[in-house]
Amino acid sequence: MRNSFEAYQTIYEQSKNNPEQFWSEIAQQFLWKQPWKETVTFDFSLGENQWFIGGKTNITENIFSKIEDKSKIAFYLEPNDVKPEKSVISYGALERKVNQFANALRKKGIGKGDRVCIYLPMKIEAVIAVLACAKIGAVHTIVFAGFSANALADRINDAAAKCIITAQELVRGEKKVPLKKMVDEAISGTSILFSVVLDLEKNHDTSVEEFDFQSFYQNEAEECATEWMDSEDPLFILYTSGSTGKPKGVVHHCGGYMVYTAYTFKNVFQYQSDDVFWCTADIGWITGHSYLIYGPLLNHATSILFEGIPTYPNPGRFWEIVDKYQVTHFYTAPTAIRSLMTFGDAIPQSYGLNSLKVLGTVGEPINKEAYDWYATIIGKQNCPIVDTWWQTETGGILISNMAGIEPSRATYAGLPLPGIFPILLNEKGEEITDPNQEGYLCFSYPWPSMIRTTYGSHERCIQTYFSHFKGYYFSGDAAKKDENGLFRIIGRVDDVINVSGHRFGTAEIENAMNKHERVFESAVVGYPHPLKGQGIVAFVIVNDLEDQSLIESIRSTVQTEIGAIAKPDLIILTDSLPKTRSGKIMRRILRKIAEGETTHFGDTSTLLEPTIVMQLVAAFQSKHIN
Ligand code: WTA
């Protein structure tokens, strides 16, 4: 449809002149049980936006009943351990399993609006569980299977989930994680009524009823009545980190999310029906939701579902998979690219990689070296790279070049998609129009998959996204625009850090560390890390600076409270932190120390104890170099 830059420009202008008509025409291509009455209403002062109001649909009907050839492969299932054969699931087989699982859930009393927690490895059962929820109108909340039992319990409690779908064990590379054991720890005393466990090993004394995944649904009927959902009924909740301590449940609704993920998948990646798409993200993150599950399936794409990690059993695994399935579209995070780069060019060069047509990145800014390596060594200068900027809250890609259509520039995400109207604001909320000036990345108009609310507290949604600049959604990122209007994302300007593409709030990690009995106070900031993008450094007040064993035990507290992925890279034990006379930690100074600054700290006259700055500089420098 849109296959030239001129066409993009024309469509963008049309969308700007009449966004309602633009989105309405796109939405008409979907299956609606009942048409919508109003395309969009919004009021950013109330943190509100609604789409396709009055319409009724179901995202699973749009996946399964619109496909002509049900024998088409939905997923190639690549397990953790290398196996020469190919295991596949067709759209027809997936639909039957989804219906069976949906029937089984219904029998157990799960229905429209009930929250279902999913804590599973990257296996097809995760997709079945997600779509079964959507089929019956239950609201799924997937928790990344790298989160700890405590983090899982927090999310279950916040969502008041009625049941949990999990696995006995998760295997990733050589590591085995006893998921079921963690679930048992997490769910006692929560709202969970029963659990469904993949490869359940034995029934022992648990606080809830439990079922083996296969026996739970294998005898159910393969037909299932669809729950027709209001466009503005919730589809899922996904927890993500923000500036404040507690992760928040971002809520996405059925109609708008469906339209937007399908539209962006098709247009950004320029997917054609015989292509093989591979998004390496975990289903526990938004990228897995939108571009591993919903976006591709709504376009009847064939995708790879990979259970393992890029370096197991060797660092050629990604490229081996690309060749094995003749992958045409490969979508990953800069952190994976940087880490695979360190193993040298010879590894990818020993594979064909000739099927690749489009490469994508997501989750964090990509540096020039990684971009060039990706383009040259993986793409052989033959594949456009789409650097896609978006967030859990945006539901889908907002800023990205479309593959092969618009100009792409290394380290620049590119132009906004049609229907997306970004604006850069300064501190005072005034628009920055000059090119190459940094500003706060905001949006003046909603899009169909924009966050609807934060679960349990709409006030929090207003405060977080709509209160900084009146009349705008504020992303939390800084960005700049070049002369041609291409956006470059600088990174977060709030207390959110991005470690290997995973989002954490600094307060969230501090709260976890403060649970350690010997920690008095702590402050966390990000620092530039060659592989992870940002590393986590924690300055921690303890009473015995000599006891180095504390460092490991503080790290393990973070692992228990949040998960191994949030463990600080550096912990600096100290007896004090840079505080103002009123007792406030001056984070600005800690950020500078973490960036490697040794002398220029600006005005430190309000500090209670100015000498602490140089002490922390020395401590950081000595640790960092080691
Ligand atoms: C960052 C991930 C630069 C950004 C989809 C954003 C990026 C946060 C890019 C959201 C990109 C995402 N270039 N930065 N292409 N994509 N980010 O919610 O800081 O896990 O605010 O969603 O990741 O992270 P989240």
Side-chain angles (χ1 to χ4, degrees), residues 38-50:
E38 202 176 351
T39 303
V40 54
T41 61
F42 72 103
D43 182 344
F44 281 1
S45 69
L46 302 173
E48 284 177 3
N49 76 111
Q50 296 197 333

Side-chain angles (χ1 to χ4, degrees), residues 473-493:
Y473 167 86
F474 173 43
S475 64
D477 277 338
K480 61 183 182 181
K481 245 195 308 192
D482 73 4
E483 293 74 9
N484 299 317
L486 272 60
F487 281 84
R488 177 181 189 157
I489 309 300
I490 314 284
R492 304 287 307 196
V493 289

Side-chain angles (χ1 to χ4, degrees), residues 163-233:
C163 68
I164 181 162
I165 302 163
T166 187
Q168 186 70 36
E169 183 177 77
L170 172 147
V171 189
R172 206 180 264 142
E174 275 162 5
K175 248 185 23 208
K176 291 194 163 124
V177 184
L179 283 191
K180 171 64 170 42
K181 188 168 152 271
M182 291 164 65
V183 168
D184 286 344
E185 252 178 80
I187 61 178
S188 77
T190 66
S191 47
I192 295 287
L193 301 174
F194 67 93
S195 65
V196 182
V197 186
L198 185 60
D199 300 325
L200 179 66
E201 266 169 18
K202 60 176 178 353
N203 275 305
H204 50 99
D205 285 343
T206 47
S207 48
V208 301
E209 203 181 354
E210 54 189 31
F211 302 92
D212 172 68
F213 196 101
Q214 296 305 333
S215 351
F216 182 68
Y217 83 128
Q218 67 191 3
N219 296 324
E220 294 295 330
E222 292 178 353
E223 302 287 318
C224 172
T226 298
E227 183 75 46
W228 291 103
M229 304 294 284
D230 278 344
S231 181
E232 284 297 336
D233 279 331

Side-chain angles (χ1 to χ4, degrees), residues 57 128 237 394 409 437 572 589:
T57 187
I128 294 169
I237 305 170
T394 70
R409 180 172 172 194
Q437 300 295 312
I572 290 166
I589 293 183

